[in-house]
Amino acid sequence: MKSEIIKINDEYIKLDSLLKFSGLAETGGEAKVLIQSGQVLVNGEVCTMRGKKMRDGDKAQYGQRIVEVSVV
């Protein structure tokens, strides 16, 4: 499965913000629910920490979509 590249200008982006920014979740509240219910994978493993710092090369997956962080 091919991942979509999400470019950020900072050192990291928090997981809940990444889901919202990438369109995997429509709102911050939806992102929180998805993460806390164990529906989001980070680098292939379930992650329930919505404040998880996603750095360059990290991948988040929800359903069939994968987004990869790229620091520019």
Side-chain angles (χ1 to χ4, degrees):
M1 208 178 318
K2 190 172 193 292
S3 57
E4 301 168 47
I5 304 296
I6 302 298
K7 296 181 179 180
I8 62 170
N9 296 318
D10 295 313
E11 180 185 343
Y12 65 86
I13 183 172
K14 290 185 180 174
L15 179 57
D16 57 352
S17 298
L18 175 64
L19 294 185
K20 197 168 115 178
F21 182 66
S22 67
L24 290 178
E26 289 185 21
T27 65
E30 181 185 359
K32 175 182 170 184
V33 170
L34 294 176
I35 295 165
Q36 291 181 336
S37 63
Q39 297 182 62
V40 177
L41 301 180
V42 171
N43 298 327
E45 297 182 8
V46 173
C47 179
T48 56
M49 300 181 308
R50 54 186 247 238
K52 166 92 174 136
K53 292 179 180 176
M54 302 292 291
R55 300 179 189 277
D56 193 51
D58 283 341
K59 295 180 182 179
Q61 178 177 351
Y62 170 63
Q64 297 301 309
R65 284 186 61 198
I66 300 173
V67 294
E68 180 177 343
V69 176
S70 176
V71 176
V72 291

